């Protein structure tokens, strides 16, 4: 009976897609779930919903950073204004606040828009901003390894759920651009080399004493010696018999 029951039910294996926000799971699981859901919405083509989800992530990042300084009744605008007025901000903190403002505005526009606007580029911008804000939050708020600051958003991972060989489409474009620059530089060097050789020929041609049909002196001397040796050989062969 036990064997029958095991055969009766199918075994389903769920392969979980990878996420650009995997590092966030180590410091705040709830924030990671929000970020991962935003990626899924993008992957499924729900770009407007993805944008609003990144706004949700930004607000929760802000509230966690504010901690006891934020009241439950404080709005996202209230918390951002408090953060902005906080003195002694470094470049990373300023970048963090700018990203939060960007995500708040994009999310508000998506929510209050009268028309549905499934803009994939706008959603991608929001995910990248959310990614940068999450890294700064993990490192400077949660004490994560500073090596996270070197991470780059992987667009192939976003689109397919599988890690790409290169970090972004931008890098692939820059690589192709660099290859094209190298090819152009080689062409320039080759053209310059040919130009120098042509200039040398032109300079010789402008010389009044230059005669293209005239033999070099060393060649005339060599031909005279060879002719003398031939004559001497013939002389000894004929007259020494």
């Amino acid at each position: 009976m036990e064997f029958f029951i095991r055969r009766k039910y199918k075994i389903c294996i769920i392969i979980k897609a990878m996420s650009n926000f995997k590092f966030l799971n180590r410091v705040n699981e709830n924030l990671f779930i929000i970020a991962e859901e935003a990626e899924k919405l993008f992957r499924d083509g729900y770009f407007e919903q993805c944008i609003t989800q990144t706004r949700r992530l930004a607000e929760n990042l802000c509230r966690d950073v504010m901690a006891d300084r934020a009241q439950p009744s404080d709005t996202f605008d209230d918390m951002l204004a408090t953060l902005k007025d906080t003195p002694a901000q470094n470049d990373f903190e300023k970048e963090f606040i700018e990203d939060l403002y960007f995500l708040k505005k994009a999310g508000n526009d998506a929510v209050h828009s009268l028309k549905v606007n499934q803009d994939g580029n706008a959603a991608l911008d929001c995910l990248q901003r959310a990614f940068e804000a999450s890294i700064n939050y993990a490192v400077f708020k949660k004490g994560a390894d500073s090596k996270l600051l070197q991470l780059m958003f992987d667009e192939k991972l976003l689109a397919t759920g599988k890690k790409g060989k290169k970090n972004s489409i931008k890098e692939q474009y820059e690589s192709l651009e660099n290859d094209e620059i190298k090819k152009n530089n080689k062409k320039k060097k080759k053209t310059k080399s040919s130009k120098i050789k042509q200039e040398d020929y032109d300079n010789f041609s402008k010389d009044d004493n230059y005669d293209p049909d005239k033999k070099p002196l060393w060649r005339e001397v060599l031909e005279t010696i060879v002719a003398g040796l031939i004559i001497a050989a013939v002389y000894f062969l004929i007259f020494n018999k």
Side-chain angles (χ1 to χ4, degrees), residues 168-180:
S168 67
I169 295 173
K170 181 181 177 183
E171 281 192 0
Q172 296 179 26
Y173 173 78
E174 289 176 348
S175 177
L176 292 174
E177 192 176 45
N178 291 334
D179 290 341
E180 189 65 27

Side-chain angles (χ1 to χ4, degrees), residues 85-139:
D85 294 338
T86 303
Q89 295 176 0
N90 57 38
D91 291 338
F92 291 104
E93 289 174 334
K94 291 178 181 178
E95 181 182 314
F96 177 75
I97 295 172
E98 288 174 2
D99 288 335
L100 295 187
Y101 268 110
F102 179 91
L103 295 171
K104 180 185 74 68
K105 183 179 184 306
N108 288 348
D109 291 343
V111 170
H112 299 296
S113 177
L114 294 176
K115 295 181 180 180
V116 175
N117 183 19
Q118 297 292 5
D119 188 343
N121 289 326
L124 179 60
D125 287 340
C126 287
L127 281 170
Q128 290 174 332
R129 290 273 192 155
F131 176 78
E132 295 297 333
S134 297
I135 286 178
N136 285 330
Y137 161 82
V139 174

